[in-house]
Amino acid sequence: MELTDIIKEENLILKKSNLLTDNVMHYCPGCTHGVVHKLVAEVIEELGIQDQTIGVSPVGCSVFAYNYIDIDWAEAAHGRAPAVATAIQRLHPEKYVFTYQGDGDLASIGCAEIMHACNRGENIVVIFINNAIYGMTGGQMAPTTLLGQVTATTPYGRDAKLNGFPMKITELLAQLDGTCYVTRQSADTPAAVRKTKAALKKAFQNTRLDKGVSFVEVVGTCNSGWKMTPVDANKWMRDNMFPKYPLGDIKDI
C-alpha cells in the first residue's frame, strides 16, 4: 500500500468537526482548551443539537470560545456564567445550556454562583477546566493551586498558613442534592480524551432527562503559566495534579 493511499481523509482519525470554525485558536500550544473545544463540538454534532445548544463563556482564557464553536453563545461577567446559564435555561427549557469555565473563574470569584446553581439543581452542563492557575491574567494563584506551587502571586510556592489549602471544588459540589453527574477527567492521552468525550456526551444527554446539574471537570495543563514545555507540563500534571485531583466519576445518579 502506498503512503498516499493511507493519508486520505477517510483514513484520518482526527477529523475536524463541522461545528469548529476555521478561526485559528488563540490558545498557547499544548493548552488543554483546544482539545476540550474539539470534544464539545464533536459531542454537539453527534447528538444533532447544534441549533438547540447555547454556551455561556465568562472571563478567562476561554472568553473567545464563541469564535471556535459554531453555536449560539452568551458572554458572562467574571464568575457569573452559572447565573446567566440559569436565566437562559429557565427562559428556554427546551435548550441545551452549558457553561465553560476555568478554575479561577469558577472556584474563586464565581464560587457562590456555582454553589447555588448546583444547590438549586439547574438543568445545565458545567464544563470546568482546572489547570491550577489563572492563565489569562498573569499566572496568579488560583483556588486549585497546589501547595508549594510557584505562581506570580506565590513566588515561593503556595503556603497553607498564608494562602490556605487547594480547593477540591468538584468534591464539594458532588455533595449537593442538585447535582446528578459529577466527574473528573483529563485530556493528556488518547484514552483520556475518549473518556472525557464520553463524560461530556453523558452530561449533555442528562439535560433532556431534567436531572439537574451535570458537572465535568477536566484537569488540564497551562504550560505557559507553569513555565514548562507541553511535554513537561503533561508529566508534571500526572505527577502532581492527579494525586490531588484523582480522575473518575464522583457522582452518577
Side-chain angles (χ1 to χ4, degrees), residues 94-168:
E94 77 284 359
K95 300 292 187 180
Y96 294 79
V97 183
F98 74 96
T99 71
Y100 189 99
Q101 303 177 253
D103 47 271
D105 177 88
L106 182 142
S108 181
I109 193 170
C111 187
E113 302 289 351
I114 188 60
M115 283 287 182
H116 287 289
C118 288
N119 195 51
R120 293 191 304 268
E122 302 295 342
N123 193 35
I124 61 175
V125 175
V126 177
I127 302 169
F128 170 48
I129 309 300
N130 175 14
N131 54 28
I133 202 169
Y134 276 83
M136 185 185 77
T137 55
Q140 300 94 332
M141 185 195 80
T144 54
T145 297
L146 301 179
L147 293 178
Q149 186 175 349
V150 174
T151 72
T153 49
T154 57
Y156 301 105
R158 180 172 189 163
D159 183 346
K161 291 184 178 180
L162 180 64
N163 311 114
F165 293 92
M167 181 182 289
K168 301 182 79 170

Side-chain angles (χ1 to χ4, degrees), residues 70-93:
D70 187 18
I71 57 172
D72 289 329
W73 286 89
E75 284 291 314
H78 204 180
R80 311 309 183 219
V84 174
T86 294
I88 295 172
Q89 203 284 324
R90 291 191 178 195
L91 286 168
H92 300 282

